Amino acid sequence: MEKYSVGSRKALENVDGLGTGTLPPLEEQTGMTIASGADGEPSSYENMVEVNGAIEVISKGATFDADREDADKDRCDCEEEEEEVRREGWGNKVDFIMACIGYAVGLGNVWRFPYLCYKNGGGAFLVPYFISLVACGVPMFFMEVSLGQLMQTGGIGTWDVFPALKGVGLAAANIAAMLNIYYIVICAWSIFYFFASFSSPLPWRSCRNDWNNVYCLDRELQDNLTVEARNESFLTTNGSLLHRNLSESPAQQYWERRVLSVSTGMNVVGSVRWELVGCVGLAWVLTFLCIWRGVKTTGKIVWFTALVPYVILLILLINGLLLEGSMDGLRFYVTPTFDKLGEPTVWVDAATQIFFSYGVGIGSLISLGSYNPYRNNCFFDTIVVGVVNAATSLFAGLVIFAVLGYMAFIQDVHVKDVVDEGPGLAFVAYPTAVDTMAGAPFWSVLFFGMLIMLGLDSQFCVVEGFATSIMDAWPRMNLRKRRTLFLVSICVLDFFLNLFCITEGGIYIFQLMDSYAASGMPLLWVAGWECMAISYGYGARRFYGDIGSMLTFKPGWFWPVSWMVLTPVVSFGIFLFSLIAYQGPKYGEDYTYPKTGEMLGWLMALAPMQWIPTYAVYLYFSTPGTVRERLHVMTTPRVFPKIPVQAPPSNDRAPPDDELPMTHLDTTQRVPEDPPPGFKTITARKANADDRQHYDHA
């Protein structure tokens, strides 16, 4: 017995006995059941669904490769592109978990979470935060990692599971591209502080510097005042008394007047901060060095960059709890102000912080998961990363608010009034905490080195995910063979785009990008449509079954229910809520953006959001055929789970014929559930004893 593998008209014509493209009556020869037309004749090749270019038929003769004509034509191309299609993998399972922890646990936990919590009423923020965590964050994390692991492709191509919504992948890549522009600026600020820490005393310790003004509160000068005077006023460096509410800490002035040199508004661009230009350049060099050798090297680097920060945070927490007033800060942190829960911005900030922190909605998790082996237990990975990420955010919040309580005690103000809310909160509170420790320069170097590591491991995972998405989406460009040049191009282009964020007015652009481009409504929009594509496009039951086959167990009903109902309802609900109660952007408490700034923010938000409807319209009009045929193409999956093929038996003896499994139709892809009009399918059944006896006589 021999096997034909027939996949094209040319192949059919070249097989003896198969005629010109019409299958012979194989029911007698092979036991196959053939779908036939109304006239009872066997279906011709044109009328059959060709799946992955191969239909395998058991019969007499020789064995032919599927699509021989195409194979002969492309053989040389395949040899040249062998390296292109070869994908790397993680060194081991723990490397992937550490990479996900390094990716998810970053500056979003120690920088963004505390300032959003501070902005939204302390403990009140924790209520929508944990609701969003359970309803959106963990289910989305599991869905994206398992999707990448199933399909073994990047964050754009994987959405061919439902081509009509492939724009979801393009939107996610757009968000990742904008995130690359502004996120690394935070790493540059950390590098600036890192080098500034090699001085004693630390430059933000006193008010006797060129950048300080009369509102700087020098702690040592206050000892010259009586207790009564100290409760109402503070002594300035020029000897005058000012009201306590006007005071600013040395760390706050160092941040605003030395590091940023903040201009009076967005329209006042000012000059480029050349010191920050050097810091951004160094950050990109470090990012490139971490990823240019591939994910196996990346998986080893994150062992260090992901674990060391926990040790430093623990030391800072112990020190913070020993400071006077720290308990006031912790009470503000854990006590909810329930009036805040009626404000839409609290819910929007909580949901987007979850998406931002877990890194969902930007395609990177899909790309990272695509390097996993097919049988990897990504459910376990999801639980580990979810718990570690949430715990890290809460842990970092304890450190921040303990220090804020101390700063409020020193300045004799309420915790909510101690510093301006904004992304610089971490660059004010943390330096203040470090300055109170013995051997402050040493701890400052250690702390800002930690911030650099936290920022870079998230940054290079985003860049790696973005690059993987592009390389897998357009394989004909052979970008994987030219990976180094491609990564250099990304780093250089983003470096020049970073210059918009490091001028004297750059902090206003940075704040717009943080509020509009890579968080807020774009992430909510993309997350909702991701769930729709999987649940109602590809099919939640189908996807859940694929995951069960991959994991060899069913993770539970909560996950498909979340993808079908909970996550899209929460995502789209908060999205609509934010539109209805929309408020213009602000920087800090006092600066309101002009209309031009608000319009720029909306352009940043709409840039990724438009990909979803735009691509659907493009696909419809670029697809030939009737309306029904076009819709069929738009809703028929093009990628499928990459189930590994089991190796043949290791012994040299071939099994006897009666031990061979008789598979009469073997396709490497799924057959469409609803074939287009005029197409018919071939089905196969397992050979029985009568069939085998028939083969023996033949």
Side-chain angles (χ1 to χ4, degrees):
M1 180 181 3
E2 292 161 325
K3 181 173 66 175
Y4 294 110
S5 184
V6 182
S8 69
R9 173 175 292 277
K10 281 290 183 184
L12 284 167
E13 293 174 351
N14 291 333
V15 179
D16 292 338
L18 289 184
T20 58
T22 302
L23 290 176
L26 297 175
E27 288 173 306
E28 296 181 2
Q29 297 181 13
T30 64
M32 291 190 64
T33 302
I34 303 176
S36 59
D39 55 0
E41 293 298 323
S43 301
S44 65
Y45 173 75
E46 300 98 301
N47 291 332
M48 293 186 300
V49 175
E50 180 184 3
V51 182
N52 199 34
I55 301 172
E56 293 186 358
V57 182
I58 297 178
S59 183
K60 290 186 175 182
T63 301
F64 290 83
D65 290 334
D67 240 334
R68 168 170 295 195
E69 181 184 48
D70 295 335
D72 292 338
K73 178 181 178 182
D74 296 337
R75 184 177 292 114
C76 293
D77 293 340
C78 291
E79 291 174 356
E80 293 175 359
E81 295 174 12
E82 183 179 359
E83 185 180 353
E84 164 66 24
V85 298
R86 187 184 299 122
R87 291 176 62 85
E88 286 187 287
W90 299 103
N92 53 63
K93 179 181 178 63
V94 183
D95 284 356
F96 171 70
I97 294 179
M98 296 305 299
C100 285
I101 290 176
Y103 170 64
V105 178
L107 292 174
N109 302 82
V110 299
W111 156 70
R112 203 169 186 273
F113 174 82
Y115 104 71
L116 287 177
C117 196
Y118 182 76
K119 167 187 172 183
N120 293 295
F125 183 73
L126 299 179
V127 177
Y129 176 82
F130 279 107
I131 292 176
S132 300
L133 172 68
V134 174
C136 297
V138 177
M140 285 290 296
F141 188 97
F142 182 45
M143 186 184 78
E144 291 195 359
V145 170
S146 57
L147 182 62
Q149 185 171 312
L150 274 168
M151 305 304 173
Q152 298 287 297
T153 189
I156 297 177
T158 192
W159 293 106
D160 272 326
V161 294
F162 190 66
L165 289 179
K166 188 178 180 179
V168 166
L170 297 172
N174 196 330
I175 294 175
M178 291 192 291
L179 183 61
N180 285 334
I181 295 173
Y182 92 94
Y183 188 81
I184 203 166
V185 174
I186 310 169
C187 301
W189 293 337
S190 302
I191 292 173
F192 187 98
Y193 273 87
F194 177 79
F195 287 118
S197 300
F198 288 96
S199 62
S200 183
L202 293 173
W204 54 85
R205 181 177 182 82
S206 70
C207 295
R208 297 178 178 87
N209 302 289
D210 295 339
W211 57 83
N212 295 123
N213 61 17
V214 70
Y215 300 105
C216 183
L217 190 153
D218 193 322
R219 294 192 300 271
E220 296 177 359
L221 292 177
Q222 309 316 306
D223 295 335
N224 299 322
L225 297 179
T226 62
V227 176
E228 293 78 9
R230 198 180 306 165
N231 291 335
E232 297 291 334
S233 307
F234 74 98
L235 184 62
T236 67
T237 52
N238 63 7
S240 60
L241 289 177
L242 294 177
H243 196 276
R244 273 274 182 177
N245 292 335
L246 299 176
S247 65
E248 295 177 348
S249 69
Q252 184 173 352
Q253 290 209 344
Y254 181 80
W255 161 247
E256 293 180 349
R257 300 174 63 85
R258 173 67 180 92
V259 179
L260 302 179
S261 188
V262 182
S263 66
T264 55
M266 176 184 168
N267 296 328
V268 183
V269 178
S271 60
V272 174
R273 302 283 296 139
W274 292 107
E275 294 165 307
L276 291 178
V277 171
C279 295
V280 169
L282 178 58
W284 275 118
V285 170
L286 293 174
T287 299
F288 173 76
L289 293 176
C290 289
I291 63 176
W292 76 286
R293 294 295 299 272
V295 294
K296 286 190 176 180
T297 303
T298 302
K300 304 304 179 185
I301 293 173
V302 293
W303 275 82
F304 180 76
T305 59
L307 293 179
V308 172
Y310 288 99
V311 178
I312 302 174
L313 280 176
L314 178 62
I315 295 172
L316 291 174
L317 177 61
I318 295 173
N319 177 76
L321 293 176
L322 298 177
L323 299 174
E324 284 188 279
S326 60
M327 291 298 108
D328 293 334
L330 295 182
R331 275 191 290 270
F332 180 81
Y333 178 44
V334 300
T335 304
T337 306
F338 290 105
D339 294 341
K340 282 280 189 178
L341 297 180
E343 299 179 8
T345 55
V346 177
W347 293 88
V348 173
D349 285 345
T352 55
Q353 169 59 18
I354 289 294
F355 291 140
F356 185 92
S357 181
Y358 280 81
V360 299
I362 61 176
S364 294
L365 285 174
I366 297 175
S367 297
L368 295 178
S370 72
Y371 292 110
N372 276 335
Y374 180 78
R375 295 297 181 188
N376 175 63
N377 188 351
C378 57
F379 178 72
F380 173 78
D381 302 341
T382 298
I383 301 302
V384 170
V385 176
V387 171
V388 170
N389 190 14
T392 303
S393 293
L394 296 175
F395 187 47
L398 291 174
V399 179
I400 279 282
F401 280 90
V403 176
L404 289 177
Y406 166 71
M407 294 175 66
F409 174 80
I410 293 296
Q411 298 181 27
D412 196 22
V413 295
H414 194 275
V415 175
K416 66 181 179 64
D417 300 321
V418 69
V419 293
D420 287 338
E421 63 190 45
L425 176 61
F427 292 94
V428 175
Y430 281 122
T432 302
V434 170
D435 189 41
T436 63
M437 303 173 69
F442 170 78
W443 293 111
S444 184
V445 168
L446 204 61
F447 170 74
F448 287 108
M450 175 200 74
L451 282 191
I452 294 170
M453 288 185 284
L454 284 174
L456 287 180
D457 59 11
S458 296
Q459 178 71 25
F460 62 64
C461 284
V462 174
V463 177
E464 177 68 52
F466 176 75
T468 298
S469 296
I470 301 298
M471 290 187 292
D472 288 348
W474 290 280
R476 291 292 182 182
M477 297 175 66
N478 288 338
L479 293 175
R480 198 173 293 279
K481 292 178 65 175
R482 296 186 285 268
R483 173 186 170 87
T484 300
L485 180 60
F486 181 49
L487 291 176
V488 169
S489 301
I490 293 175
C491 295
V492 171
L493 177 61
D494 283 339
F495 168 76
F496 285 106
L497 293 174
N498 290 144
L499 298 180
F500 291 103
C501 295
I502 53 177
T503 63
E504 292 179 346
I507 187 63
Y508 302 104
I509 302 296
F510 176 91
Q511 185 70 29
L512 280 180
M513 297 192 74
D514 181 52
S515 301
Y516 286 91
S519 61
M521 285 179 280
L523 281 182
L524 293 169
W525 175 259
V526 170
W529 283 110
E530 281 190 6
C531 292
M532 300 298 287
I534 291 297
S535 300
Y536 302 103
Y538 185 74
R541 180 178 297 179
R542 184 183 194 178
F543 184 64
Y544 185 61
D546 290 340
I547 291 177
S549 299
M550 179 178 69
L551 300 178
T552 67
F553 67 89
K554 296 295 180 65
W557 59 266
F558 169 77
W559 307 100
V561 170
S562 297
W563 302 328
M564 293 177 65
V565 181
L566 197 57
T567 304
V569 166
V570 172
S571 299
F572 287 133
I574 297 178
F575 178 84
L576 293 175
F577 193 27
S578 63
L579 285 179
I580 294 171
Y582 171 76
Q583 297 178 352
K586 295 178 63 178
Y587 174 71
E589 296 181 353
D590 302 325
Y591 181 78
T592 301
Y593 281 81
K595 290 297 181 183
T596 53
E598 189 173 358
M599 290 175 60
L600 179 61
W602 274 107
L603 288 175
M604 294 177 183
L606 292 175
M609 293 166 61
Q610 57 82 28
W611 282 111
I612 297 175
T614 298
Y615 184 83
V617 173
Y618 160 77
L619 184 60
Y620 177 83
F621 285 105
S622 64
T623 302
T626 65
V627 172
R628 183 177 178 183
E629 290 170 346
R630 292 181 182 185
L631 294 178
H632 179 79
V633 170
M634 294 176 67
T635 56
T636 300
R638 299 176 183 172
V639 295
F640 301 90
K642 302 298 188 295
I643 303 174
V645 179
Q646 294 184 353
S650 58
N651 56 357
D652 296 329
R653 184 184 65 86
D657 285 348
D658 57 355
E659 295 181 12
L660 285 171
M662 304 294 290
T663 304
H664 302 295
L665 179 61
D666 183 17
T667 60
T668 56
Q669 304 283 1
R670 297 175 184 270
V671 176
E673 297 177 355
D674 182 20
F679 280 65
K680 299 177 183 178
T681 61
I682 291 180
T683 59
R685 62 176 174 78
K686 187 175 181 180
N688 53 34
D690 293 336
D691 295 325
R692 292 184 179 276
Q693 186 177 6
H694 178 74
Y695 302 149
D696 294 337
H697 289 302

